[in-house]
Amino acid sequence: MSDVKAGQGGEASGSEGCSIAEVSRYCMATDLGLECVCSKRSSVVIGTGTTAKREDSTLYYYAKQIDDDLLALQSLNANWAPSGPAVEVTLEELITQYQPEVDMFLKKVKPVMKQIAKHVAKGDRHRAKGEPYSAAMEYTSALGLDEKNVRAMFGLGLTYLQYDQHEKAKVLFEELIGLDGFAAPEYKHLFNQFGIELRKQKMHEQARRYYARAIELCTSDENLFFNLARAFFEDGRIGEADRTLETCLGINPHHEEALKFRRYLSSVSLS
């Protein structure tokens, strides 16, 4: 949360004019920063002409602090779990455009979030201990509460790949790359591990599409181009690997691994 200043009448307020009292009506300070559930009413017109009628509905959202005065807002699914893509809102926008739902956060949303996190953590432990069936069961339980949970999808996908269940891995792979957040920095370790497993299992087409999709979401990451070049090379597509390395080095001319790899490709081409 941003530093507070004394406002009119001595009341402390945020940098955007939000008082501490206002913020406390909406958000709770947790180990993740500020968190809350909020709602917004909307109206839609059903039908046309003389049969048209207006219906009101209430939409519910989970918000989590991601910067001093910025929160990520996610819709809640039927299980009261935050799910799907997030949009960014300022603290002032949250307070002026949404209604606080403190009881819903404490009694419905937070318990479901803890349950999902518990399933994923247990799945990770089972996978690390070489217990694929127990791991898959826990990840599947998490996905039963939030079918778009990226951590659970990565965990289940890695379980399938590491135990040669390629057909199941392919189905999950299609779902995973359809999510805009699968290459987010918070999932960097899982992202890298999943890409390595795709290449180890010689799933060359999926490996190429995996990195190409990530590049669509982040065009300035030289490491994504480097990994795409490796996927091309491992599929015997030397020319495309070389051109992709050229793009990588255009972003970062000092990328040591890419320079070594390109020298190697040159030696392969000349031999």
Side-chain angles (χ1 to χ4, degrees), residues 57-260:
S57 64
T58 302
L59 302 176
Y60 295 95
Y61 303 90
Y62 165 74
K64 178 179 71 173
Q65 185 179 22
I66 54 175
D67 206 343
D68 283 352
D69 189 49
L70 203 62
L71 299 100
L73 198 70
Q74 274 184 295
S75 296
L76 297 177
N77 67 16
N79 297 309
W80 300 104
S83 186
V87 296
E88 294 180 356
V89 296
T90 64
L91 195 54
E92 184 177 29
E93 288 171 335
L94 181 80
I95 289 173
T96 57
Q97 298 177 24
Y98 298 84
Q99 293 297 314
E101 303 286 351
V102 178
D103 280 352
M104 187 176 291
F105 174 68
L106 293 174
K107 295 177 181 178
K108 292 186 176 181
V109 177
K110 196 64 175 177
V112 170
M113 292 174 64
K114 287 181 178 179
Q115 194 175 355
I116 292 170
K118 186 176 180 179
H119 282 307
V120 172
K122 289 174 72 175
D124 289 344
R125 288 196 294 272
H126 284 304
R127 183 166 59 84
K129 290 161 64 177
E131 300 167 349
Y133 299 110
S134 297
M137 184 175 67
E138 293 295 344
Y139 293 132
T140 301
S141 295
L143 291 169
L145 295 170
D146 175 14
E147 64 180 11
K148 297 179 181 178
N149 187 279
V150 176
R151 290 189 186 279
M153 291 179 77
F154 268 126
L156 186 57
L158 285 166
T159 301
Y160 289 153
L161 287 171
Q162 289 166 349
Y163 294 93
D164 298 328
Q165 298 183 41
H166 288 189
E167 293 308 312
K168 289 183 178 180
K170 286 177 182 177
V171 172
L172 191 136
F173 167 83
E174 297 296 338
E175 296 177 10
L176 186 60
I177 65 170
L179 301 178
D180 287 349
F182 85 103
E186 64 189 293
Y187 307 124
K188 184 176 181 180
H189 173 69
L190 289 167
F191 175 87
N192 289 336
Q193 194 176 358
F194 195 79
I196 289 168
E197 284 298 328
L198 286 172
R199 298 202 313 271
K200 280 173 62 177
Q201 298 293 331
K202 301 190 184 303
M203 296 173 67
H204 301 304
E205 178 190 351
Q206 284 77 19
R208 292 195 307 273
R209 289 178 54 209
Y210 183 70
Y211 292 117
R213 171 67 174 137
I215 287 168
E216 288 179 14
L217 302 171
C218 182
T219 59
S220 60
D221 188 334
E222 68 270 26
N223 293 311
L224 292 176
F225 285 97
F226 175 73
N227 285 320
L228 178 58
R230 290 178 64 177
F232 276 129
F233 173 75
E234 287 164 4
D235 198 24
R237 298 163 67 168
I238 307 299
E240 287 164 289
D242 187 62
R243 287 190 291 273
T244 306
L245 284 173
E246 185 177 2
T247 304
C248 169
L249 291 167
I251 299 170
N252 179 6
H254 306 293
H255 194 294
E256 186 175 344
E257 292 300 314
L259 290 168
K260 290 179 182 177

Side-chain angles (χ1 to χ4, degrees), residues 2-72:
S2 55
D3 293 339
V4 295
K5 304 174 183 177
Q8 290 183 345
E11 184 181 71
S13 64
S15 59
E16 297 297 328
C18 303
S19 70
I20 291 177
E22 287 175 317
V23 173
S24 64
R25 283 183 59 234
Y26 280 76
C27 300
M28 296 187 63
T30 71
D31 54 355
L32 296 176
L34 295 177
E35 288 185 278
C36 72
V37 168
C38 57
S39 64
K40 190 173 188 178
R41 292 187 64 79
S42 65
S43 297
V44 293
V45 176
I46 307 295
T48 58
T50 57
T51 63
K53 61 178 182 178
R54 184 178 298 276
E55 290 192 358
D56 293 331
S57 64
T58 302
L59 302 176
Y60 295 95
Y61 303 90
Y62 165 74
K64 178 179 71 173
Q65 185 179 22
I66 54 175
D67 206 343
D68 283 352
D69 189 49
L70 203 62
L71 299 100

